[in-house]
Amino acid sequence: MSSPSHTADNFIEESIIEDLNNGKHGGRIHTRFPPEPNGYLHIGHAKAIVINFETAKKFGGRTNLRMDDTNPSTEETQFVDNIQHDIRWLGYEWEGETRYASDYFEELYQLALKLIDKGLAYVDESTATEIEAQKGDIGVPGTNSPYRDRSPAENRDLFERMRAGEFPDGSRVLRAKIDMAHPNLLLRDPVLYRIKHEAHHRTGEDWCIYPLYDFAHGQSDSIEKITHSLCSLEFRHHRDLYNWLIEALEIFPSRQIEFARMNVDYFITSKRKLKLLIEEGVVSGWDDARMSTLAGLRRKGYPPEAIRNFCMDTGVTRRDSQQTLDLLEFKVREVMNRNADRYMAVLDPVKLVITNYPEGQTELLETENNPEDESHGTRQLPFSRELYVEREDYRKEPQNRKYYRLAPGKDVRLKSAYIILCEGHEEDDEGNVTQINCTYYPESKSGEDTSGVKAKGTLHWVSAPAAVDIEVRMYQPLFTDPTPMDHEGKDFMEFINPESLQVITAKGEPALAEAEVGESFQFLRQGYFTVDPDTAAGKPVFNLTVGLKSGFKG
RNA sequence: AGACCCAUGGUGUAAUUGGCAACACAACAGAUUUUGGUUCUGUCGUUCAAGGUUCGAGUCCUUGUGGGUCUACCA
């Protein structure tokens, strides 16, 4: 198989092209995404998913999905379903069936036997604390276990009896026999198998010994003939062991390549911390719209395309990166600007009365659904004497010449309707505006304006009698600090933003009552909003997906 | 007796592998606009330090500085 001439976009692709040019694996490229099914996928996983799938795709290769389920205590089938759902939602389909490391338990066991027979592994009866002590320290060599020199035959017998369930948890482990003075602490006779009399979510009671990461992950890669095993930087030290085991076991030589994890401002990606947010009641669950989980981002309304673009455009490197929320939100707006239809909703309504418009009259006005895409068509909007407009769009006095909104004496265009002249307002005892009074120019109707009046500003509005109440959930970042984990001596919980969620009741145009769960809109001049699953008949709930960029400096 | 990884505008990444440091985001200014959105134009500003090799260094070498990772029977 001759390799088409690819250009490398990053160092991983350089390595792949190098392998291709060397004729390795006959030009075949196969990657994998190996989550542990013990939690929900988050934005950091999205990066790994995108890298693995996109890299394979670029070279005409395939990508497996493999559950790294070697720890029966933490893994649950429930998570498997969510992980699969999230990956498909992101837009990727893996090769064949979902794989499980647990499917390879028997093969792994045989591999362990092989290692024992080669004199490269031994059963150790030291306690966990003793083993820790044997490891030595950074810069200090370790010491050999007293059980290190047992014969292969004795080790085999002991290991078989471990499997048979003769020994209690923690009483024995299988260790690789490498070098207790190795500068890489991971190669100081790492533990390969431990005893756990626990039921596994897939294999049930079949096993009471379970392999550890280092004796499961790489071997699974080899079993699946993965050519390039892409993982994050903290596994760099594991690569030495990964390669040592490939040699010792004489198995398919997958190549591990590490890249830097992606961090995003205001997002945390520690499973444990995410869980804590739920347990403490800070958020409502794994799919709370403020969570950095894919379930949360989906609920918030982030389009998968935007997340993919974000992951791709932030590149692949070996240096720790901290991405800004700005870029992520830019990617979200970029997609939604194209796809989301424009509707009008008033978030903080104040009544506006057009004093020269006939009482009781309603007319239907036509408005375009999406100025970016004419094929989205038009719809009808009811217009009447009493409207709601945004409280923020009125000032008792205009501040300066650059102010284009409502204030006494100002002309303003109502989107797709008429130009109105602001006459003044009514207020309560505290000086709060209770009503804005205006007159309209009958000849200024949108599309057939002969009034000659020029209005600099255009406002969104809804007809008061026709408006529907909609619940709107306004979100801000969950934390007040972009990197809540990076403060010495301070717990990340100290940075919880008390205003991360504000629920308001807004006035929406009638069509919004029919919005379906998952559907996204632009509320004119406000932002992009997506219908939340909490929506019930006649009670629509919208999530702020992302605000519009605003050049207004009032 | 420590080992390994990393260092380019405010942020994130490029640089034909030794040949004019570029792209995106952000910021700022202007044009267009029935969204102060979008779109378009422009401005701003960058190779961690010192030394070396070279006609020529972001790129190669040396030393230093700064940051990160590694001592789970987690993955």
Side-chain angles (χ1 to χ4, degrees):
Chain A
M1 227 178 289
S2 73
S3 59
S5 57
H6 292 289
T7 12
D9 284 332
N10 53 250
F11 73 96
I12 291 178
E13 297 185 0
E14 277 171 23
S15 301
I16 289 178
I17 289 169
E18 172 192 308
D19 288 344
L20 248 21
N21 292 341
N22 291 337
K24 227 171 162 184
H25 312 308
R28 189 178 60 87
I29 300 297
H30 208 140
T31 61
R32 100 273 89 111
F33 176 63
E36 183 189 10
N38 71 345
Y40 282 69
L41 259 29
H42 53 64
I43 185 83
H45 292 114
K47 180 85 179 189
I49 292 168
V50 168
I51 290 175
N52 274 291
F53 279 90
E54 292 292 340
T55 303
K57 191 200 286 178
K58 173 167 179 172
F59 296 97
R62 303 289 191 149
T63 303
N64 286 358
L65 170 62
R66 180 173 69 237
M67 300 296 161
D68 231 335
D69 57 349
T70 57
N71 187 352
S73 339
T74 56
E75 292 142 9
E76 293 174 33
T77 305
Q78 163 217 347
F79 292 120
V80 173
D81 301 332
N82 286 304
I83 288 169
Q84 296 182 137
H85 181 250
D86 284 346
I87 296 172
R88 290 199 169 108
W89 174 73
L90 250 195
Y92 297 106
E93 189 59 50
W94 50 95
E95 164 75 4
E97 297 291 305
T98 299
R99 326 289 170 114
Y100 296 83
S102 55
D103 284 346
Y104 311 138
F105 279 169
E106 180 59 36
E107 272 175 89
L108 263 19
Y109 175 73
Q110 295 301 329
L111 251 18
L113 254 17
K114 182 174 183 178
L115 207 58
I116 289 169
D117 291 343
K118 289 180 84 172
L120 294 174
Y122 61 97
V123 171
D124 196 337
E125 285 161 53
S126 307
T127 64
T129 5
E130 282 164 354
I131 290 178
E132 194 189 332
Q134 290 162 17
K135 290 255 177 182
D137 208 338
I138 293 169
V140 181
T143 49
N144 286 172
S145 162
Y147 305 95
R148 197 171 196 265
D149 293 316
R150 292 215 246 232
S151 70
E154 190 186 355
N155 281 318
R156 181 177 252 271
D157 173 63
L158 251 11
F159 190 56
E160 283 168 349
R161 288 165 61 197
M162 277 169 66
R163 178 191 182 166
E166 286 188 31
F167 308 117
D169 287 5
S171 62
R172 281 165 181 78
V173 291
L174 182 72
R175 284 228 256 175
K177 190 171 176 178
I178 306 179
D179 177 4
M180 288 307 289
H182 198 103
N184 181 348
L185 268 28
L186 243 117
L187 298 220
R188 318 246 263 224
D189 291 11
V191 176
L192 267 22
Y193 264 90
R194 80 284 220 188
I195 302 173
K196 271 192 185 221
H197 290 270
E198 260 180 75
H200 183 275
H201 77 121
R202 298 193 90 237
T203 60
E205 307 280 349
D206 292 353
W207 295 86
C208 63
I209 55 170
Y210 292 94
L212 274 98
Y213 169 84
D214 287 301
F215 202 74
H217 190 98
Q219 293 59 42
S220 300
D221 283 344
S222 291
I223 289 168
E224 295 176 14
K225 300 222 168 4
I226 298 301
T227 57
H228 300 270
S229 184
L230 314 179
C231 62
S232 49
L233 237 38
E234 68 264 35
F235 291 98
R236 166 62 190 92
H237 303 286
H238 291 259
R239 190 172 79 212
D240 298 337
L241 182 51
Y242 188 98
N243 291 149
W244 186 88
L245 283 165
I246 284 174
E247 286 239 349
L249 262 16
E250 303 160 65
I251 52 179
F252 180 85
S254 305
R255 172 165 20 173
Q256 175 178 313
I257 303 173
E258 312 86 18
F259 57 87
R261 254 180 203 249
M262 178 181 70
N263 301 298
V264 184
D265 284 353
Y266 302 103
F267 281 167
I268 60 170
T269 51
S270 149
K271 256 177 234 176
R272 215 185 66 76
K273 300 278 198 289
L274 251 15
K275 204 170 168 203
L276 195 64
L277 289 171
I278 297 169
E279 287 164 357
E280 298 284 314
V282 176
V283 297
S284 62
W286 288 104
D287 67 342
D288 187 297
R290 293 164 292 176
M291 293 285 267
S292 53
T293 53
L294 294 185
L297 299 179
R298 173 168 59 239
R299 185 169 180 182
K300 194 176 182 194
Y302 279 21
E305 183 187 356
I307 297 175
R308 265 184 274 130
N309 291 345
F310 177 65
C311 290
M312 287 191 268
D313 290 0
T314 46
V316 183
T317 61
R318 295 179 65 85
R319 89 177 97 151
D320 303 310
S321 75
Q322 188 71 31
Q323 302 294 340
T324 59
L325 229 207
D326 282 332
L327 184 62
L328 213 208
E329 293 193 334
F330 169 82
K331 293 292 179 188
V332 171
R333 287 191 201 101
E334 186 181 43
V335 172
M336 298 189 91
N337 177 51
R338 273 197 326 262
N339 303 330
D341 283 348
R342 274 61 169 170
Y343 279 70
M344 291 202 274
V346 177
L347 269 22
D348 184 14
V350 62
K351 189 163 282 187
L352 182 149
V353 178
I354 300 169
T355 54
N356 61 339
Y357 193 88
E359 285 197 49
Q361 177 174 315
T362 298
E363 63 181 305
L364 289 176
L365 304 170
E366 190 174 62
T367 188
E368 81 276 11
N369 286 326
N370 190 338
E372 302 294 313
D373 187 348
E374 261 186 47
S375 72
H376 286 227
T378 61
R379 72 175 183 287
Q380 305 283 303
L381 281 171
F383 183 81
S384 58
R385 186 174 200 264
E386 296 197 356
L387 312 172
Y388 289 113
V389 296
E390 214 67 61
R391 185 170 293 277
E392 195 202 34
D393 286 337
Y394 180 78
R395 298 291 146 88
K396 294 176 183 176
E397 286 172 31
Q399 312 140 290
N400 55 54
R401 297 188 48 146
K402 290 262 195 155
Y403 179 78
Y404 307 142
R405 305 178 182 185
L406 288 167
K410 286 282 212 176
D411 286 323
V412 170
R413 159 74 66 184
L414 294 176
K415 171 70 180 174
S416 297
Y418 298 92
I419 295 176
I420 55 173
L421 168 64
C422 183
E423 308 278 5
H425 70 273
E426 294 166 19
E427 59 184 38
D428 62 16
D429 296 343
E430 272 116 47
N432 300 311
V433 175
T434 54
Q435 179 173 316
I436 300 164
N437 294 318
C438 299
T439 55
Y440 83 120
Y441 301 93
E443 279 78 50
S444 65
K445 185 169 172 176
S446 185
E448 45 195 78
D449 185 350
T450 55
S451 68
V453 180
K454 285 180 296 263
K456 271 293 236 182
T458 301
L459 304 187
H460 62 283
W461 53 275
V462 293
S463 159
V468 294
D469 280 348
I470 59 175
E471 177 177 324
V472 179
R473 300 176 181 172
M474 301 295 288
Y475 298 106
Q476 286 179 37
L478 231 200
F479 300 98
T480 54
D481 184 282
T483 55
M485 308 289 262
D486 296 355
H487 297 274
E488 199 90 23
K490 282 196 173 180
D491 190 77
F492 79 107
M493 289 294 238
E494 292 178 43
F495 298 99
I496 297 287
N497 178 3
E499 295 179 352
S500 62
L501 168 63
Q502 283 180 315
V503 181
I504 59 179
T505 301
K507 296 289 185 185
E509 61 172 279
L512 255 16
E514 255 84 310
E516 283 171 29
V517 173
E519 220 179 333
S520 292
F521 305 92
Q522 182 192 114
F523 288 173
L524 227 61
R525 301 208 304 135
Q526 299 285 5
Y528 297 97
F529 293 80
T530 302
V531 184
D532 190 86
D534 284 348
T535 291
K539 194 181 171 297
V541 178
F542 290 85
N543 291 317
L544 169 64
T545 306
V546 64
L548 245 34
K549 222 179 136 173
S550 172
F552 180 52
K553 294 174 190 69

